[in-house]
Amino acid sequence: MPRLTVLGTCGAWPEPGRACAGFLLSHEDFHVALDLGYGAAPRLFQHVPADRLDAIVVTHEHPDHLADVSALGRARYNTTDRKLPMHCTPGTVRRLAAMEPSPAPAENFDLHDLGPETDLGPFRLTTALLPHHVPNYGVRLTTPGYALAYTGDTGPAPHLRDLARDADVLICEATLQGAPPDGPRHLMTAAEAGRLAAAANVRTLLLTHFWPGSDRAVSVAEARAEFAGEVLAADEGLMLNHA
């Protein structure tokens, strides 16, 4: 069955000893990365060499989700001639080009817009455009007998339930603690993540995108108050296998 490896868990900037958003999903010797923020690339390379990665999905253009895609591109440029399939937003490509204009992103990556449903090796990729400061896509990766949903960064949205429905693992951004703030919402609370997991009937809720310095045990407790299933705080190096 698929194996999920946590590469980075912080939002905005990394705490000492940690990294920003990054995950690795592996199945049938196929490896796909989900986001690579600050500090996530060296953790990725501990598990999969740059030239062995098969695809990457980048939910949106904020650097805490894509900065280390540049490091991945440099590593691949010097180790393989194969372009890596990358599914991302147009803004992601522009940000990468600003960081590294030569070689341009199109020289390292086989670029695909997020949105259309498509196959990624043994997985089926579906997406949902979610509310954030910039275009952000939640993603769902399925293979027979397994489903993973990942929100990227998002405010609450009704279609999150469809994205996460019956998932074995829901990787949910849970930046905020306590009562939700007033006004337009671009990030979620841990309690909202718990309510989403309950409504979508997921198996395991993996909280991530913690604000640096926050007490992660508080986030877990707030989510568990809303969801009776398994709730975990994402931690660098954590691996989840579901049979």
Side-chain angles (χ1 to χ4, degrees):
M1 292 299 290
R3 180 180 69 253
L4 175 68
T5 304
V6 178
L7 307 175
T9 64
C10 294
W13 73 93
E15 296 179 2
R18 294 190 182 273
C20 282
F23 301 89
L24 174 66
L25 185 62
S26 303
H27 184 49
E28 296 179 351
D29 204 31
F30 186 92
H31 306 284
V32 54
L34 305 175
D35 288 343
L36 282 179
Y38 301 116
R43 297 174 186 274
L44 170 68
F45 300 153
Q46 288 177 337
H47 301 280
V48 180
D51 61 349
R52 289 285 312 282
L53 191 66
D54 296 292
I56 183 169
V57 177
V58 182
T59 58
H60 66 288
E61 65 188 85
H62 281 158
D64 56 336
H65 291 253
L66 71 74
D68 270 22
V69 178
S70 179
L72 173 63
R74 283 191 166 211
R76 288 187 64 91
Y77 185 77
N78 288 282
T79 57
T80 180
D81 293 330
R82 293 183 296 108
K83 291 185 179 182
L84 181 70
M86 181 165 69
H87 296 256
C88 63
T89 64
T92 295
V93 178
R94 290 192 295 269
R95 293 254 189 160
L96 287 173
M99 293 172 66
E100 184 69 275
S102 180
E107 296 181 58
N108 282 327
F109 300 101
D110 180 15
L111 301 170
H112 303 269
D113 285 339
L114 270 177
E117 187 171 339
T118 190
D119 289 322
L120 281 184
F123 298 105
R124 188 65 177 170
L125 170 67
T126 56
T127 67
L129 185 61
L130 300 174
H132 194 48
H133 302 281
V134 296
N136 170 82
Y137 281 88
V139 298
R140 182 180 176 95
L141 289 161
T142 58
T143 196
Y146 179 85
L148 176 143
Y150 173 41
T151 65
D153 290 355
T154 181
H159 47 294
L160 275 167
R161 184 184 299 187
D162 292 332
L163 180 78
R165 192 175 306 279
D166 298 325
D168 292 278
V169 181
L170 167 61
I171 308 171
C172 191
E173 176 266 309
T175 311
L176 308 177
Q177 296 175 342
D182 295 330
R185 299 291 309 286
H186 302 292
L187 296 168
M188 289 177 64
T189 69
E192 288 170 333
R195 286 195 288 274
L196 169 61
N201 190 40
V202 308
R203 181 174 175 182
T204 296
L205 171 61
L206 185 64
L207 302 176
T208 192
H209 204 265
F210 298 102
W211 190 253
S214 63
D215 184 345
R216 299 180 178 205
V218 171
S219 298
V220 170
E222 291 181 351
R224 284 179 176 163
E226 305 290 340
F227 175 55
E230 184 178 38
V231 179
L232 301 173
D235 191 37
E236 284 74 3
L238 176 68
M239 293 186 183
L240 296 180
N241 292 276
H242 280 91

